[in-house]
Amino acid sequence: MLKSSFEYAICLATYNGEKYLRDQIDSILCQLTSSDVLFVSDDGSKDSTKDILSSYGGKLRVVSTERAGGVVRNFERVLQAAYDSGASYFLLVDQDDVWVNGRMDLFRAALSRYDLALLDAEITNENLTKTGRSLFEVNRTGPGFIKNYIKNGYVGCCMAFRRDVLKVSLPFPPGVVWHDWYIGLIAELMFVPYHRKQTCLFYRRHGDNLSPTGDKSNNGSITKLILRLRMLFAILVAVIRK
């Protein structure tokens, strides 16, 4: 592993996120120590996202502002950069949520014992008004490879994991439908994950969300089967190359 001056890499993927981005970044930076760093990969935004990122100067590291090719590849790019930097622990971050104070402390405690930690989030509207529901409730989140293969409960913005998990996961094989689902299944199959029903994130839902999390799928039975077969293929590739 490369020598690094920090332990935790917070990995944020952005795309046309100007409306809520500052709220998210500010809620993150106030919880970081000198041993943490915020990595950002922008997927070629056309709005003021790049200007917002540059306004933070050295407080965050922008991996790239070139087109990556969608959410999954954008997250793969920022995770690869964070991994190459030598960090030991990794958090996934969406561009429009808000961290609750104490969130980093919860992840630090969980990852001192487990390979992957999944913490709950409070679902809000675009104004951060609580809906009274959590992601764990909506997704019926729970442990188990088969359970999460059939109905995914791994949401990226709720996840943090050790370097060993990412080592197996990178690079993403063909067939990865969603990066968080893929990493969660890797953890269920090969590592020790931890689920805690404590909300420490405001999960903002609005008309411009890129992730379908919490929404009922409109995919037909054949499409769902194809997506799961593609994901199974990706998992097998990751296991074999290990």
Side-chain angles (χ1 to χ4, degrees):
M1 185 175 75
L2 297 175
K3 289 185 178 180
S4 175
S5 59
F6 53 86
E7 289 186 299
Y8 281 82
I10 291 79
C11 300
L12 168 61
T14 61
Y15 178 69
N16 289 346
E18 64 180 3
K19 190 171 183 180
Y20 307 110
L21 185 56
R22 284 195 183 276
D23 287 347
Q24 173 66 298
I25 292 178
D26 291 343
S27 74
I28 293 171
L29 292 178
C30 68
Q31 298 191 45
L32 303 189
T33 69
S34 59
S35 63
D36 310 321
V37 65
L38 174 58
F39 283 92
V40 187
S41 176
D42 183 74
D43 199 14
S45 290
K46 304 301 183 182
D47 63 0
S48 64
T49 293
K50 297 176 187 178
D51 294 331
I52 293 172
L53 294 176
S54 63
S55 71
Y56 284 90
K59 294 181 180 180
L60 53 81
R61 301 189 183 188
V62 178
V63 172
S64 177
T65 58
E66 300 297 323
R67 183 70 175 155
V71 176
V72 173
R73 293 306 164 192
N74 200 21
F75 267 106
E76 180 183 26
R77 181 166 68 185
V78 69
L79 284 168
Q80 186 67 65
Y83 181 85
D84 291 344
S85 75
S88 300
Y89 305 96
F90 307 84
L91 279 73
L92 296 176
V93 182
D94 290 341
Q95 65 185 3
D96 40 19
D97 303 324
V98 173
W99 283 21
V100 173
N101 288 336
R103 178 176 171 80
M104 276 298 297
D105 292 335
L106 291 173
F107 273 124
R108 291 182 203 279
L111 291 179
S112 69
R113 299 179 58 190
Y114 300 94
D115 298 309
L116 181 147
L118 192 71
L119 304 181
D120 204 356
E122 184 83 30
I123 301 176
T124 75
N125 65 14
E126 62 181 9
N127 299 315
L128 297 181
T129 301
K130 297 179 181 179
T131 65
R133 300 183 301 160
S134 80
L135 277 178
F136 276 27
E137 293 170 359
V138 170
N139 292 329
R140 298 178 182 177
T141 300
F145 179 86
I146 298 300
K147 179 187 185 306
N148 285 284
Y149 180 68
I150 296 173
K151 169 59 177 172
N152 177 43
Y154 280 91
V155 182
C157 61
C158 297
M159 294 169 58
F161 38 86
R162 292 181 177 178
R163 185 178 178 85
D164 287 346
V165 176
L166 194 53
K167 181 178 181 181
V168 174
S169 303
L170 289 174
F172 292 174
V176 174
V177 180
W178 288 107
H179 56 286
D180 42 11
W181 187 17
Y182 165 68
I183 295 173
L185 289 177
I186 290 289
E188 287 287 351
L189 188 64
M190 305 176 65
F191 297 94
V192 182
Y194 169 72
H195 298 71
R196 181 170 178 174
K197 296 180 180 179
Q198 178 172 351
T199 57
C200 56
L201 175 77
F202 293 137
Y203 182 80
R204 194 191 319 244
R205 298 303 293 165
H206 53 85
D208 298 323
N209 285 104
L210 294 177
S211 168
T213 303
D215 300 329
K216 185 176 180 180
S217 174
N218 293 319
N219 293 326
S221 298
I222 298 299
T223 300
K224 290 179 181 179
L225 176 60
I226 292 173
L227 293 178
R228 280 163 179 76
L229 289 175
R230 288 176 58 192
M231 186 63 80
L232 182 59
F233 173 77
I235 296 295
L236 290 174
V237 170
V239 171
I240 291 172
R241 72 187 181 193
K242 177 181 182 295

